[in-house]
Amino acid sequence: NAGVTQTPKFQVLKTGQSMTLQCAQDMNHNSMYWYRQDPGMGLRLIYYSASEGTTDKGEVPNGYNVSRLNKREFSLRLESAAPSQTSVYFCASSTGTGNTDTQYFGPGTRLTVL
Amino acid sequence: AQSVAQPEDQVNVAEGNPLTVKCTYSVSGNPYLFWYVQYPNRGLQFLLKYITGDNLVKGSYGFEAEFNKSQTSFHLKKPSALVSDSALYFCAVRDGNSGNTPLVFGKGTRLSVIA
């Protein structure tokens, strides 16, 4: 049981390049989330998917798109990367069955945009 | 809207001493409160949560947290700190009346336990 996995672990992009961050979970969870972590800012929600087939914006969605490919997978796409998107990105999942849910996190992707 | 404040960016404690990491929250409904720990270059790990019931919640690695409704606080505690407890700690909240919405996190507190 791998839990939540993310690829790649590290990525360096040039301004304007695009890329997709991949996330998968094997816990049969309904809900999935993308956060970014910046020094002094804590974790901020980018997008989330309460269930397969639905996605919603979080606190900082600008510059990002998401796809809930199936129940297991939730990807985050940067269409035209900017230096302000340099961050550590975390994917998380939860059962989605109630408001007492615990979210479980992946190991993160460290992204640098030059 | 819900929010969490962690008033200390950094907490230093000597090994063997008790530790406290502070958290206060704001929600309009019932608070569901969580603590997570992040070790260097790792993801967040769940420590404990308060949903209802006993105000003192016990979690992983000997940590506990005390819910105080009148002070809107949920401080993380451990009776005797270990050097291996050095990490970044996050408090998070969900409004119990808002359905299954994402957790809202504080900015984190870095705990340093000195041998």
Side-chain angles (χ1 to χ4, degrees):
Chain A
N1 192 341
V4 180
T5 57
Q6 294 183 236
T7 55
K9 285 186 168 42
F10 302 94
Q11 184 71 48
V12 178
L13 293 178
K14 294 180 179 178
T15 297
Q17 287 185 317
S18 63
M19 79 160 294
T20 300
L21 281 65
Q22 306 286 355
C23 173
Q25 50 88 12
D26 62 0
M27 296 178 282
N28 199 34
H29 284 171
N30 292 306
S31 300
M32 298 184 74
Y33 314 84
W34 278 106
Y35 290 87
R36 60 177 288 174
Q37 182 181 22
D38 303 291
M41 303 292 289
L43 272 76
R44 293 181 292 168
L45 183 69
I46 305 171
Y47 272 93
Y48 69 103
S49 171
S51 62
E52 189 178 355
T54 69
T55 59
D56 285 286
K57 293 179 180 179
E59 181 185 355
V60 289
N62 291 345
Y64 305 96
N65 285 301
V66 290
S67 295
R68 183 74 183 267
L69 304 169
N70 49 54
K71 190 172 185 179
R72 288 187 64 247
E73 297 172 289
F74 188 39
S75 63
L76 178 72
R77 182 160 179 85
L78 287 69
E79 290 290 352
S80 179
S84 61
Q85 295 177 304
T86 293
S87 188
V88 182
Y89 292 85
F90 288 101
C91 178
S93 71
S94 67
T95 60
T97 55
N99 53 16
T100 61
D101 245 10
T102 297
Q103 292 178 197
Y104 296 94
F105 284 79
T109 294
R110 187 175 297 272
L111 175 67
T112 301
V113 183
L114 301 175
Chain B
Q2 54 256 38
S3 65
V4 167
Q6 294 182 242
E8 301 157 318
D9 291 336
Q10 173 95 28
V11 170
N12 298 319
V13 63
E15 187 175 30
N17 283 2
L19 69 87
T20 299
V21 182
K22 295 179 180 177
C23 171
T24 59
Y25 66 88
S26 174
V27 296
S28 56
N30 291 323
Y32 294 168
L33 295 153
F34 298 74
W35 275 102
Y36 285 81
V37 60
Q38 184 182 30
Y39 297 104
N41 300 313
R42 304 287 295 275
L44 276 71
Q45 295 179 29
F46 169 71
L47 276 178
L48 52 81
K49 66 181 177 183
Y50 170 82
I51 302 301
T52 187
D54 194 347
N55 289 344
L56 186 63
V57 179
K58 293 188 184 298
S60 307
Y61 313 122
F63 283 94
E64 58 190 26
E66 186 167 14
F67 172 67
N68 187 316
K69 188 173 183 178
S70 63
Q71 297 185 3
T72 62
S73 67
F74 188 56
H75 300 332
L76 181 70
K77 300 182 180 184
K78 188 174 182 182
S80 179
L82 300 172
V83 172
S84 57
D85 293 329
S86 299
L88 188 56
Y89 291 81
F90 288 97
C91 184
V93 69
R94 179 187 287 128
D95 187 331
N97 293 355
S98 66
N100 185 25
T101 54
L103 292 174
V104 174
F105 286 84
K107 294 184 178 182
T109 298
R110 188 165 300 281
L111 173 67
S112 179
V113 181
I114 304 157

